[in-house]
Amino acid sequence: MIGILFGPPGSGKGTQAQMAARRFALPHVSTGTILREEVERKSELGRQVAPLLDKGELVPDSLILEIVGKHLEEERSRGALLDGFPRTVAQASGLLSMLKEHGLTIFAVVALDVPEGVLEGRILKRGEIEHRSDDNEESFLRRMAEYREKTAPVLSYLETQGITVHHIDGDGSIESVADKLSSLFCSVGLAPVA
Ligand code: AMP
């Protein structure tokens, strides 16, 4: 069983995915976190993607599909909660093929809706606290442009494939959004363990 958490930069998908993964005992697969770890380790892949992450540009689909494919292979029996993936229609189409191959199904696609003005404030605040290399005004604008151009169309693509996209208002406290997400997961048949 695969869940997908979807949203623009600063929508809180990382935080919410982490909390929901714990609550429902699902492996949390965040492509952004995986890439940042590669950059930190200074691996070959890390060196290749670091400039793209810094600028707020998307990493090539082939690299991302390879990374996610490995994780899905490893977590085949437990499923996963995907955060930050798929981010392009090509990634979404690749994901659907991989799910078919591994006999996995999607239990929910959830989009976190947050007004753009709120997003920018959150990103700049996180930049001051966590010092992420892409949490600055310039990279934020690039990430928003990438989101609008390449990621937002994924939602209508999934709908054309017969997959329902649930929308949650993400402009609230962390706890209130987490509660709404938990209720949604329970309503589609998941049982919380924590
Ligand atoms: P995130 O932590 O999800 O905000 O991702 C941070 C950065 O990692 C993005 O701005 C992209 O440069 C890269 N990235 C993460 N996930 C993907 C993906 N699915 N496709 C392409 N690039 C990605």
Side-chain angles (χ1 to χ4, degrees):
M1 293 282 272
I2 298 292
I4 300 174
L5 212 51
F6 207 89
S11 57
K13 60 185 168 12
T15 306
Q16 293 298 334
Q18 207 173 359
M19 290 167 75
R22 215 175 301 132
R23 198 169 281 177
F24 292 92
L26 281 166
H28 174 201
V29 177
S30 155
T31 44
T33 304
I34 294 168
L35 293 170
R36 279 187 292 280
E37 282 168 2
E38 294 291 333
V39 172
E40 200 116 308
R41 287 202 297 122
K42 298 189 167 59
S43 67
E44 180 57 37
L45 172 64
R47 268 195 286 267
Q48 208 177 330
V49 301
L52 297 172
L53 263 72
D54 286 350
K55 279 185 275 181
E57 285 174 23
L58 294 185
V59 166
D61 291 332
S62 55
L63 281 180
I64 292 287
L65 281 164
E66 198 180 319
I67 292 172
V68 176
K70 268 188 212 149
H71 279 264
L72 289 183
E73 185 103 13
E74 281 164 22
E75 307 292 2
R76 212 170 5 196
S77 55
R78 296 198 298 155
L81 186 55
L82 302 178
D83 147 19
F85 172 89
R87 255 178 159 101
T88 64
V89 170
Q91 290 180 17
S93 146
L95 172 66
L96 296 185
S97 306
M98 286 194 283
L99 295 184
K100 215 179 260 175
E101 190 185 320
H102 296 309
L104 291 162
T105 52
I106 294 176
F107 66 83
V109 178
V110 185
L112 292 178
D113 298 328
V114 179
E116 196 167 326
V118 175
L119 296 174
E120 182 166 10
R122 285 185 184 177
I123 290 287
L124 297 182
K125 193 166 155 201
R126 186 173 67 185
E128 284 168 17
I129 300 168
E130 294 180 19
H131 307 293
R132 238 177 84 164
S133 64
D134 56 350
D135 280 345
N136 55 66
E137 174 111 42
E138 203 183 330
S139 298
F140 169 74
L141 292 175
R142 185 81 205 121
R143 284 153 75 195
M144 275 310 297
E146 292 278 67
Y147 181 80
R148 265 189 235 108
E149 270 169 48
K150 299 173 185 166
T151 308
V154 171
L155 292 180
S156 31
Y157 168 75
L158 291 174
E159 280 168 343
T160 63
Q161 300 302 303
I163 298 162
T164 307
V165 177
H166 302 270
H167 287 264
I168 283 187
D169 178 6
D171 186 14
S173 68
I174 291 176
E175 291 71 24
S176 70
V177 178
D179 285 347
K180 283 185 245 175
L181 188 58
S182 284
S183 304
L184 178 64
F185 281 6
C186 290
S187 76
V188 295
L190 259 65
V193 295

